[in-house]
Amino acid sequence: MIIDMPGTTTRAIAKRLLTERDEGGAVALGRVLTLIVDTGDHDPEHAIAAANDASREHPCRVILIQSQHDGSPSSEGLDAQIRLGGDAGASEVIILRPAGEVAEHLDTLVMPLLLPDAPIVAWWPYEPPAVPSETPLGRMAQRRITDSVRSSDPHAWLRRLAESYQEGDTDLAWTRATLWRGLVAATLEQPPYEPVRRAVVSGEATHTSVDMVAAWLAHALRCPVEVERIPDAPAIVQVKLERESGDIVLGRPDGKTAALHQPGQPEHRIALPIRHLRECLAEELRRLDPNEVYGEVLTKGLARIPV
């Protein structure tokens, strides 16, 4: 069900949600959080699809804010759309398109639509703010999710996020590399337990997950780490760890299946597909406490990686 509400107010939107709940039972009560999504002037459908999929694991109210383009129905005020039922996954989606003065106070705009006594998560799917914790939406949220990979200048944004980091911040470049970190950590927990003398992380030239894995290795292993940037590669393609007894090489050239090579052992083939946005978002919504490891890697490990 899709309900368009041009030239409306948040009070009217909240009233319409109550009406739909009372008359049709279309809106369930078991929401665990409010997810506020700021897409700027980008098309919101990709973010909505990811939020809908993630909501099946974390039922929530999604409030999406989209800047109005030239030629929008309203040059001043608020247009909105409500999506329920099959158009909203296990969530209820409220799309807000503010213009003019209304767009200058986003915290006041969304406040009447927040779920009572529920955590708030803010997500910027495209351009992250320079200081997420100091934006009107960021100050309201317990968790703040950015996505440097999808920004206009990934490496510059990642460095800015490191400078402005506050507890509760996280970036999906870190989440996309969860499986890589798990496999590398599991490999290093096996004998012969030798120190890593040098590491090399190879991947797509602008993909910030490459930088985050390199920063994690530099911070955890205290060894020199080199980044090999390959244009048009499918995200991360290889992690090589140099040890006295021989190199450990985890490679995924096709973006689907990885091969693990270790001295004295046969090759191991491991399913390691590139993670979808919905998987990464669902993972981040599982925890509402600060991610301390991410914070240390971003603020300390990243400084050890050459730009």
Side-chain angles (χ1 to χ4, degrees), residues 34-101:
T34 301
L35 177 62
I36 304 175
V37 187
D38 186 352
T39 63
D41 59 1
H42 294 268
D43 187 328
E45 294 303 328
H46 187 63
I48 292 172
N52 285 348
D53 284 341
S55 74
R56 292 182 170 88
E57 182 177 338
H58 312 279
C60 59
R61 171 173 289 178
V62 178
I63 303 174
L64 185 140
I65 303 169
Q66 181 192 19
S67 302
Q68 292 219 24
H69 301 271
D70 293 340
S72 297
S74 298
S75 58
E76 180 75 30
L78 175 65
D79 298 326
Q81 185 182 86
I82 300 174
R83 300 187 185 184
L84 305 170
D87 294 294
S91 64
E92 52 199 12
V93 178
I94 305 165
I95 302 172
L96 304 177
R97 298 186 177 94
E101 186 177 348

Side-chain angles (χ1 to χ4, degrees), residues 35 47 50-51 54 58 123 145 172 175 276-286:
L35 177 62
H58 312 279
W123 173 34
I145 303 172
L172 293 182
T175 321
H276 294 291
L277 177 61
R278 62 179 181 270
E279 299 174 73
C280 298
L281 182 60
E283 178 180 325
E284 287 301 331
L285 295 181
R286 288 182 199 131

Side-chain angles (χ1 to χ4, degrees), residues 102-207:
V102 178
E104 298 176 4
H105 306 282
L106 296 183
D107 50 348
T108 304
L109 178 67
V110 303
M111 202 168 294
L113 300 173
L114 300 176
L115 293 174
D117 303 319
I120 301 170
V121 178
W123 173 34
W124 293 268
Y126 297 99
E127 298 299 317
V131 186
S133 60
E134 294 184 6
T135 63
L137 299 179
R139 285 192 290 266
M140 301 172 63
Q142 283 79 27
R143 290 295 306 277
R144 295 168 293 274
I145 303 172
T146 54
D147 196 351
S148 58
V149 171
R150 296 176 64 85
S151 69
S152 57
D153 191 344
H155 295 302
W157 275 116
L158 191 63
R159 301 284 170 169
R160 291 179 193 174
L161 292 172
E163 294 172 359
S164 65
Y165 173 77
Q166 295 292 325
E167 288 189 351
D169 294 352
T170 195
D171 191 84
L172 293 182
W174 173 256
T175 321
R176 288 185 175 93
T178 295
L179 300 180
W180 281 89
R181 299 196 312 273
L183 286 172
V184 171
T187 302
L188 291 175
E189 289 174 356
Q190 302 174 15
Y193 309 114
E194 295 174 335
V196 176
R197 299 186 296 192
R198 178 174 172 269
V200 181
V201 181
S202 306
E204 205 279 323
T206 63
H207 204 293

